[in-house]
Amino acid sequence: MNKVNILQELNFQKFFESVSEAYMVLTPEFIITAVTDSYVRKSLKKKEELIGLYLFDVFPDNPDDPNVNGFNNLTVSLNIVLAEKVPHIMDIIKYDIPLPAGGFETKYWKVENSPIFNENGEVSYILHKPEDVTELVLLKEKKNEAALKIQSNIMEEEIKHITLNLSIANNEAEYQRNKLYSLLMNAPACICLLESSEHIFSFMNPSYQKLLGNRNLLGKKVRESVPEVAGQGFIELLDNVYSTGKPFIGNEISLKIDKTGDGILSQTYLNFVYQPVFNFDNQVEGISVLAYEVTEQILARKEVEKLNQELSESETRYKALSKELEIKVQERTEKLIQANEELRISYGELANQNENLKTLQEALLNRQEDLVSKEIELTRSNQTLNQFANMASHDLKEPLRMIRQYVTILAKRYKDKLDKDANDFIGYTVDGVERMEHLIKSILDYAKLNKLGIPIESTYSQISLDRARMNLSVAIEESRAVITNDELPSLHVNSVQLTQVFQNLLSNALKYRSKDNLVKIHIGVEKKDNRWFFSVSDNGIGIKSEDFKRIFLPFHRLHSNSEYEGIGLGLSFCKKTVEQYGGDMWVESELGKGTTFFFTIMEF
């Protein structure tokens, strides 16, 4: 079995607990964090009666022994390990252990305490190795009896032999433990152990720590200490392995990880194995992770595939160009032959072509006269249209003014004298008259766009924008809108029309604002070639893409009058105005995120 297979099957905690010798792992505060099964048996305790408890609460001094000194001697040894960061072997000490049924059993121990360092060289744990030498001590005490002197010598030799064997076994176990630990820490693979269903890091080698940006992760949950993996599927895979007890093998899986601590995620690809770790009851208690980074291989393969694709496309283009060149050469040859034939035309044919040219010139002069005549007719038509609009406006306003006057008289004379429905009807009538007056004014303004002779002047567009903002000052203040703009240019347009364009676009942005956000509007401008590109952006309710063209048609509205007031002429007016100056208007929007209206004006 190769190194990778061995690491995949390895369970470091299970290996530690199954060591034949008695070992205990303590924190610097003398809290028991791990024990071998052999230690559990020798302590006459259960494992749950040891883990997480203070050492001397579990093993107090025997109160019935007046000469007891085990607590003090063991404390001194542990403090030497913490202070000097070196192993300490104690002389044989008497330390009685409590019996499950009560009382204490006399015990003698040979104890070795060794430091376990973290990555910073600090002592993070103490490895406590007690060796029960009670029988040896009792045998030595019997040596004082003269009658058993010879037997004592024999037993002494046996004790030495046993001690030697024990020492050899302990050294071998320590060597294997160190060898295994070194193998894990120096392995090129990324290895870690996760405990419990919360997936808490209990061990990781330098390769794994480097993969996750050298973060301090021991004792922390994956969800909290590596939050960027959420949503990438890894937490769900760990949960499934823990709940089913079945391993998972992933090949070339994408991982986006923050390796530098600046919040920027790096693209990484991994081959990995999630292997469940079982306890003595065959229940899953953790997961071992073995991973290899294969980012370079994946990127190299993709680059090769890209190059192969480009090579194939280049070959196809080359064949097409060769074929096209062949066709063009053939066509050019045929054209040269045809040109040579055309050069042979007679003088009579040239004279005939001159006559045709004179005929075309006469037709062109006639066409120009027709255009002048149509321009005069268009001017007369526009004048007639404007006269009709003015007349219609006057004829409609007079009846409306009379309706408003009499409805106002009704409201003053009979207020609170009629029932509630009558008061509501009067209010509806007044509201309808006001909307009709606004509609007539908007139609008249829209019709005037066709009128010739509108004064065009050098207009500083910032002044037009300021006038529009002043006209809308009440609405801007009520909505607490924040309006910003780029440095705006001077244009050769009618200043009143430009003010109306800005005012319509700002009014729409204020009207269709989002209830959840502070209103923000920005007017931008950029020059491209001989055109100025304006943009008016907001963070309002937005527009559906299928309505982008419909909103510019006269009297087309997307909302009822009960939702938002209006008649549907504002955007039509804006679009028709900018078209008078050789420009265009369009919209880009995303529903719920805001809208940007664009329009262009030629630079004259």
Side-chain angles (χ1 to χ4, degrees), residues 512 542-544 547-548 550-551 556-560 563:
Y512 301 108
I543 303 170
K544 295 180 180 179
D547 295 325
F548 283 178
R550 191 160 67 95
I551 61 175
H556 280 72
R557 305 191 67 235
L558 304 182
H559 305 274
S560 66
E563 294 178 300

Side-chain angles (χ1 to χ4, degrees), residues 112-332:
E112 179 179 356
N113 295 309
S114 304
I116 299 177
F117 300 100
N118 60 21
E119 59 184 347
N120 297 321
E122 300 295 329
V123 177
S124 58
Y125 296 97
I126 300 173
L127 185 65
H128 175 71
K129 177 189 174 186
E131 180 183 349
D132 188 354
V133 294
T134 304
E135 293 182 1
L136 300 179
V137 172
L138 295 178
L139 286 174
K140 285 185 178 180
E141 290 178 351
K142 293 180 180 180
K143 286 173 56 179
N144 296 327
E145 299 180 13
L148 299 177
K149 185 175 182 180
I150 297 176
Q151 185 65 28
S152 296
N153 291 335
I154 296 174
M155 293 177 66
E156 183 74 19
E157 291 299 322
E158 290 179 352
I159 290 171
K160 290 181 180 180
H161 181 70
I162 292 171
T163 302
L164 178 61
N165 289 339
L166 286 174
S167 177
I168 293 172
N170 287 338
N171 290 337
E172 179 64 21
E174 184 70 14
Y175 170 76
Q176 293 297 333
R177 187 190 72 83
N178 291 335
K179 183 177 179 181
L180 176 61
Y181 183 79
S182 176
L183 178 65
L184 292 174
M185 295 300 289
N186 295 298
C190 304
I191 302 171
C192 82
L193 293 176
L194 304 174
E195 292 182 348
S196 82
S197 61
E198 296 292 333
H199 314 309
I200 299 173
F201 289 103
S202 61
F203 169 82
M204 67 177 60
N205 68 353
S207 296
Y208 193 94
Q209 193 165 19
K210 181 180 178 182
L211 174 67
L212 299 185
N214 293 315
R215 283 177 266 192
N216 184 14
L217 302 174
L218 290 177
K220 299 179 181 178
K221 300 176 183 179
V222 174
R223 287 181 177 86
E224 299 172 357
S225 57
V226 195
E228 61 266 34
V229 302
Q232 299 189 49
F234 294 93
I235 301 296
E236 291 77 7
L237 288 175
L238 289 171
D239 290 340
N240 185 64
V241 171
Y242 193 92
S243 62
T244 64
K246 297 180 180 179
F248 176 82
I249 300 175
N251 291 312
E252 298 183 0
I253 304 299
S254 172
L255 168 65
K256 294 181 178 178
I257 195 75
D258 181 5
K259 291 189 176 183
T260 57
D262 55 6
I264 299 176
L265 302 184
S266 301
Q267 178 67 66
T268 304
Y269 294 91
L270 300 174
N271 290 343
F272 63 89
V273 177
Y274 287 162
Q275 183 74 31
V277 177
F278 298 90
N279 58 19
F280 287 114
D281 298 325
N282 202 32
Q283 299 296 318
V284 178
E285 63 180 11
I287 298 174
S288 64
V289 180
L290 174 67
Y292 283 94
E293 185 174 354
V294 293
T295 305
E296 292 184 0
Q297 296 91 313
I298 299 298
L299 295 180
R301 188 182 67 209
K302 289 185 176 181
E303 184 65 23
V304 170
E305 292 173 353
K306 179 182 178 182
L307 291 174
N308 287 336
Q309 178 65 26
E310 291 177 353
L311 181 61
S312 176
E313 292 175 355
S314 297
E315 185 177 356
T316 302
R317 287 197 299 270
Y318 173 76
K319 290 180 180 179
L321 288 173
S322 297
K323 183 66 176 178
E324 183 180 355
L325 180 61
E326 182 180 349
I327 294 173
K328 286 185 176 181
V329 170
Q330 184 176 354
E331 291 176 349
R332 182 61 176 167

Side-chain angles (χ1 to χ4, degrees), residues 22-76:
Y23 285 97
M24 174 198 296
V25 177
L26 300 171
T27 68
E29 293 77 25
F30 309 148
I31 301 299
I32 303 172
T33 60
V35 292
T36 63
D37 296 339
S38 174
Y39 188 97
V40 174
R41 291 191 295 271
K42 290 185 178 182
S43 68
L44 305 180
K45 301 268 185 193
K46 296 180 180 179
K47 187 174 182 181
E48 55 268 26
E49 295 175 337
L50 300 171
I51 301 299
L53 299 179
Y54 181 62
L55 173 64
F56 297 111
D57 286 343
V58 180
F59 300 105
D61 272 338
N62 186 353
D64 298 326
D65 187 353
N67 299 319
V68 64
N69 203 22
F71 169 85
N72 292 334
N73 291 336
L74 183 55
T75 301
V76 170

Side-chain angles (χ1 to χ4, degrees), residues 360-468:
L360 290 174
Q361 289 175 341
E362 292 175 356
L364 180 59
L365 289 174
N366 293 333
R367 179 61 176 168
Q368 288 176 341
E369 292 175 356
D370 290 342
L371 289 175
V372 171
S373 176
K374 288 183 178 180
E375 183 177 356
I376 294 172
E377 182 180 350
L378 177 61
T379 300
R380 187 183 304 110
S381 175
N382 285 336
Q383 290 173 348
T384 302
L385 176 62
N386 283 313
Q387 290 172 357
F388 172 77
N390 287 324
M391 181 182 67
S393 172
H394 179 271
D395 291 345
L396 288 172
K397 283 182 179 178
E398 286 305 317
L400 285 174
R401 189 178 295 111
M402 183 180 67
I403 294 172
R404 173 192 283 273
Q405 180 179 357
Y406 283 106
V407 170
T408 302
I409 293 173
L410 281 174
K412 289 181 179 180
R413 287 186 180 180
Y414 298 102
K415 182 179 181 182
D416 300 328
K417 295 181 180 180
L418 302 174
D419 58 14
K420 183 178 181 300
D421 289 342
N423 291 331
D424 290 341
F425 295 154
I426 292 173
Y428 297 153
T429 305
V430 173
D431 181 63
V433 170
E434 290 176 349
R435 285 191 282 113
M436 189 65 182
E437 289 176 341
H438 179 60
L439 176 60
I440 293 170
K441 181 181 180 302
S442 298
I443 292 173
L444 182 59
D445 290 341
Y446 188 76
K448 287 180 180 179
L449 288 176
N450 293 320
K451 187 175 181 180
L452 300 177
I454 295 175
I456 296 176
E457 61 214 357
S458 179
T459 300
Y460 182 32
S461 50
Q462 181 66 52
I463 295 177
S464 296
L465 175 61
D466 292 340
R467 288 174 180 166

